Amino acid sequence: MQTLDDIKLYAEKNSIPIMRDGGIDFICDYIKTHNIKKILEIGTAIGFSAIEFANAAPDVLVTTIEMDIDRHIKARQNIHDSGLDGRINAIHGDALKVELDEQFDLIFIDAAKGQYINFFEKYKSNLAPDGVFISDNLSFHGMVQDLTLTHNYSTIKLVKKIRKYIDFLKTNKEFLTEFFDYGDGVSISKRYPGK
């Protein structure tokens, strides 16, 4: 039986990014206090956050999408070991190509950072009228605020894409976004009334 601590240890040993404690706690509290029932997660990794979300309340259902086949297989195993096969639907595929026709109370974006705007635009039609987008890694280890923390060219490019996404959220006429410092930086985007 895999525990969440086992999953965290596996992620650390294998350099698989999973949510930081502050961020995951913040979202799980949000799920409980806002009576969230259906969640779409873009970026399963090895299932850590999907399991945490499902555990936040006994009637939460999670659909989660992962492109990497090895991570998807590991996630399926972790979900099974956690006894959550019936409440977490793990899909293997490219989130930009997967087609879903259902609506979700919460859509969580935590996949390829350079695609955040595309994920947001693609799935906003799957957001329930009072639903929210939550996005993770908007601080990216502090580098979004201070680019001198890295000299790696590909990381700098990535950070610039995250900054572009933050600007997209700030200037979005359809959604109002709040930013929080929990974990690695998260945002909550809600539709303006009447949009």
Side-chain angles (χ1 to χ4, degrees):
M1 176 71 178
Q2 285 277 75
T3 67
L4 286 166
D5 286 337
D6 294 331
I7 296 171
K8 283 165 103 169
L9 197 60
Y10 179 91
E12 194 178 325
K13 281 183 180 171
N14 293 277
S15 302
I16 296 168
I18 60 171
M19 280 200 81
R20 292 187 185 179
D21 289 345
I24 198 91
D25 292 344
F26 173 69
I27 297 174
C28 287
D29 284 344
Y30 189 92
I31 291 165
K32 291 174 197 166
T33 56
H34 291 80
N35 203 25
I36 300 294
K37 302 293 182 210
K38 287 185 71 179
I39 298 170
L40 171 62
E41 176 183 53
I42 301 165
T44 315
I46 55 172
F48 174 73
S49 45
I51 292 166
E52 285 273 45
F53 297 161
N55 282 334
D59 53 356
V60 171
L61 300 174
V62 182
T63 298
T64 182
I65 306 169
E66 175 59 48
M67 191 154 73
D68 183 289
I69 187 62
D70 294 329
R71 289 183 181 184
H72 169 74
I73 291 167
K74 185 67 179 169
R76 293 280 298 259
Q77 186 62 54
N78 288 336
I79 290 162
H80 177 74
D81 289 349
S82 302
L84 291 166
D85 286 323
R87 298 202 354 232
I88 301 176
N89 175 24
I91 298 169
H92 173 244
D94 179 345
L96 291 175
K97 294 178 181 169
V98 171
E99 294 299 330
L100 300 171
D101 57 8
E102 55 196 302
Q103 294 214 309
F104 299 90
D105 305 313
L106 190 162
I107 298 177
F108 179 55
I109 303 177
D110 189 19
K113 310 301 166 233
Q115 298 293 342
Y116 271 29
I117 293 174
N118 293 328
F119 293 142
F120 192 102
E121 292 287 17
K122 175 175 171 58
Y123 287 102
K124 68 183 182 183
S125 62
N126 294 98
L127 193 65
D130 294 324
V132 294
F133 276 102
I134 297 186
S135 308
D136 191 30
N137 300 124
L138 299 188
S139 172
F140 207 68
H141 317 293
M143 293 177 213
V144 171
Q145 294 80 6
D146 183 3
L147 206 46
T148 63
L149 292 174
T150 182
H151 300 289
N152 179 294
Y153 176 70
S154 59
T155 305
I156 289 168
K157 273 176 63 178
L158 190 61
V159 169
K160 286 182 175 174
K161 285 176 180 173
I162 296 170
R163 284 179 172 177
K164 187 178 175 187
Y165 178 65
I166 291 169
D167 288 340
F168 162 82
L169 293 176
K170 285 180 175 175
T171 58
N172 197 299
K173 300 281 192 289
E174 198 178 346
F175 287 82
L176 174 66
T177 298
E178 288 183 274
F179 298 89
F180 302 90
D181 290 330
Y182 298 105
D184 196 26
V186 295
S187 65
I188 296 182
S189 305
K190 301 176 186 175
R191 275 195 183 91
Y192 283 107
K195 294 286 183 184

